[in-house]
Amino acid sequence: MELFGTAGIRGSATERVTPELALSVGRAAGRAALESDAPAEFVVGRDGRTTGQGLAAAVEAGLLSAGADVTRVGVVPTPALAFASRGRRGVMLTASHNPPTDNGIKMFVDGQEYDRDLERDIETRVEADAPPTDWDDWGATGTSGVLDAYRDAIVEFAGRHGADLDGLSVAVDCGNGMSALGTPQVLRDLGARVVTLNGQIDGHFPGRESKPTPETLADLIAFVADGDFDFGIGHDGDADRIVIIDGNGEVVHEDTVIAIVAEHYVRVSDAEDPVVVTTPNASGRIDERVREAGGRVERVRLGALHEGIASARADGGDVVFAAEPWKHIHPSFGGWIDGVASAALIARLAAESGMAGLREPVTERPYRKVSVPCPDEKKRAAMAALEASLPDAMAPESVDTEYGVRLEFADASWTLVRPSGTEPYIRVYAEADDVDALVDEVTAVVEGEIEAA
């Protein structure tokens, strides 16, 4: 059984993430908590999807029948649920940026997503299908609000960075999702003028697709370009992703956003060894800005920022920021991915330096991602061969084979080759002044190893 992907359990609400599965996962999570040293109290929240009420009820029934107590926090952004899970556990019913037919289950303990060991334990317990606990040991329910405390905490946190937002004008496309309960209110509390698009919560996502991309954010891009805005913000369905649009209506590259925020955190840190955690597909521009500020970068597999944070801390580093494209963790605020906190922080930095001023130090080389067809049964052999053949063919300055094959070159260009975990492809990522030539050279080696596998 492989229930969990890189961000919880997701899929069709009628075929995969059904009430039956939600009941089983809830009961498994409740039993696991009761057998551990951690508190067996769970906060349960959901996004605005039409299937959320039924799935939340099923999860709660499972938790209660295992003997765990449940506090309902209602319809909230995923980062607000994570905030509420501090000192206890949490379950969020959300499929993030997936289509409206889907839903999902994301689990937290003390403000952090379940790690792989906890997820494997839940999978094992779901497969075992244990019955409810004794009738007189069932848990109890309660309700609580979290939004006011969550938004106030972000306002206080962001207020320690950058400058006041008085006079700043921001357009926010909430995508009919949960950021409508977070970002506009926080930015207004910080003093900005905020105009929202798709600000009504609707599980059908009538305004646009929930995933924020240059294509789905076309209305926001035009709105910012035609209006008097300092910049724009686009979110996904549960408010953990963020996309930044500059005042000219140009999408700011996701790695540039990471580089800006990472450099800021390193510069304001008083740690002896400030560390930024990111993923193998993230740009070398992040490393450049972090090194310039006096920090270092550590990389971890996609979807495993929490593991990277734990590993860097175990090695003595002080993690000041962790991010992969579109998703950011602010350790000085909390241990979860939080698009609302990112919006507040970036707004404060833009108020101090202007969006153009923030981008100016970042070297933005051309970037490409290519998918090379590869049957699943050939991936392992091809990747094993590429660990030797790709460096031999490319003469890089450094090689890292922990999460695929990543090569870095003396001119600051780089490439990453890694197998897709869900599709019959090997992915090639590259960044260079002549990115097409680099991609062509790497792809040729990859295709050769696939053919020979």
Side-chain angles (χ1 to χ4, degrees):
M1 180 180 295
E2 293 184 358
L3 283 178
F4 291 87
T6 57
I9 304 168
R10 289 186 199 168
S12 166
T14 57
E15 297 176 6
R16 176 169 169 77
V17 188
T18 62
E20 291 81 5
L21 177 65
L23 175 68
S24 296
V25 170
R27 186 174 294 156
R31 283 186 174 274
L34 286 161
E35 294 174 13
S36 73
D37 295 331
E41 178 189 359
F42 285 78
V43 287
V44 176
R46 62 183 179 88
D47 67 14
R49 293 168 187 266
T50 60
T51 55
Q53 283 183 297
L55 291 175
V59 163
E60 290 171 14
L63 291 167
L64 295 167
S65 65
D69 293 331
V70 172
T71 299
R72 300 170 181 147
V73 297
V75 178
V76 295
T78 293
L81 185 281
F83 174 85
S85 76
R86 294 170 304 162
R88 47 189 174 178
R89 296 180 183 240
V91 182
M92 181 71 185
L93 285 304
T94 180
S96 187
H97 59 274
N98 281 33
T101 53
D102 288 0
N103 215 318
I105 304 171
K106 189 174 287 189
M107 311 186 74
F108 296 86
V109 56
D110 195 21
Q112 295 188 24
E113 292 181 34
Y114 273 29
D115 61 23
R116 285 188 292 184
D117 289 339
L118 290 173
E119 290 176 346
R120 290 189 186 112
D121 183 38
I122 298 301
E123 291 189 358
T124 300
R125 292 172 184 272
V126 168
E127 194 167 17
D129 194 26
T133 192
D134 292 341
W135 65 271
D136 56 348
D137 288 331
W138 284 31
T141 62
T143 59
S144 178
V146 67
L147 281 173
D148 287 344
Y150 167 68
R151 293 190 297 233
D152 289 347
I154 292 180
V155 169
E156 192 278 329
F157 157 75
R160 302 195 297 267
H161 303 270
D164 291 340
L165 303 192
D166 295 343
L168 197 76
S169 185
V170 186
V172 181
D173 186 343
C174 302
N176 304 121
M178 301 316 303
S179 64
L181 298 177
T183 297
Q185 296 87 344
V186 165
L187 295 183
R188 288 178 182 130
D189 285 348
L190 287 168
R193 168 184 171 262
V194 181
V195 177
T196 60
L197 286 71
N198 303 311
Q200 74 280 22
I201 296 170
D202 188 326
H204 295 89
F205 303 113
R208 62 167 172 83
E209 292 181 25
S210 183
K211 187 174 183 178
T213 67
E215 293 74 27
T216 63
L217 293 174
D219 288 345
L220 173 65
I221 290 169
F223 191 64
V224 172
D226 293 342
D228 184 22
F229 294 99
D230 292 282
F231 66 98
I233 295 170
H235 285 295
D236 63 343
D238 69 338
D240 62 358
R241 293 187 176 214
I242 185 171
V243 176
I244 301 296
I245 314 296
D246 72 12
N248 297 318
E250 178 185 347
V251 176
V252 182
H253 193 281
E254 59 269 27
D255 288 338
T256 295
V257 175
I258 294 174
I260 289 168
V261 177
E263 178 177 8
H264 169 75
Y265 276 128
V266 171
R267 289 197 183 280
V268 301
S269 172
D270 57 4
E272 291 185 5
D273 183 22
V275 177
V276 171
V277 174
T278 190
T279 49
N281 61 321
S283 169
R285 68 190 70 171
I286 300 167
D287 305 68
E288 291 175 357
R289 298 318 306 162
V290 168
R291 280 196 299 266
E292 179 70 20
R296 63 184 175 92
V297 171
E298 293 287 340
R299 282 181 163 78
V300 68
R301 66 181 177 88
L302 281 165
L305 291 176
H306 301 90
E307 295 176 16
I309 292 171
S311 176
R313 286 173 173 167
D315 290 340
D318 191 338
V319 179
V320 296
F321 186 50
E324 58 185 79
W326 320 112
K327 300 190 287 187
H328 310 154
I329 296 175
H330 307 267
S332 57
F333 178 64
W336 55 87
I337 295 166
D338 198 324
V340 181
S342 292
L345 176 76
I346 292 167
R348 294 272 303 186
L349 298 182
E352 182 176 53
S353 303
M355 189 60 67
L358 293 175
R359 296 180 68 179
E360 192 276 330
V362 182
T363 302
E364 297 185 293
R365 299 176 181 86
Y367 176 95
R368 277 187 64 193
K369 173 184 172 182
V370 174
S371 296
V372 182
C374 177
D376 288 338
E377 63 271 17
K378 287 192 170 188
K379 287 179 182 176
R380 186 182 297 274
M383 289 304 303
L386 285 164
E387 289 187 8
S389 62
L390 195 61
D392 287 347
M394 305 292 295
E397 189 171 67
S398 67
V399 180
D400 187 336
T401 59
E402 190 169 3
Y403 307 108
V405 182
R406 182 183 170 99
L407 310 182
E408 297 187 2
F409 303 92
D411 63 356
S413 61
W414 62 273
T415 187
L416 168 71
V417 177
R418 58 177 290 272
S420 169
T422 57
E423 296 179 289
Y425 295 108
I426 287 179
R427 312 287 193 195
V428 175
Y429 306 80
E431 185 176 51
D433 291 330
D434 189 352
V435 71
D436 292 338
L438 179 57
V439 167
D440 289 346
E441 189 174 358
V442 174
T443 300
V445 178
V446 172
E447 289 173 340
E449 295 297 1
I450 292 172
E451 184 176 351

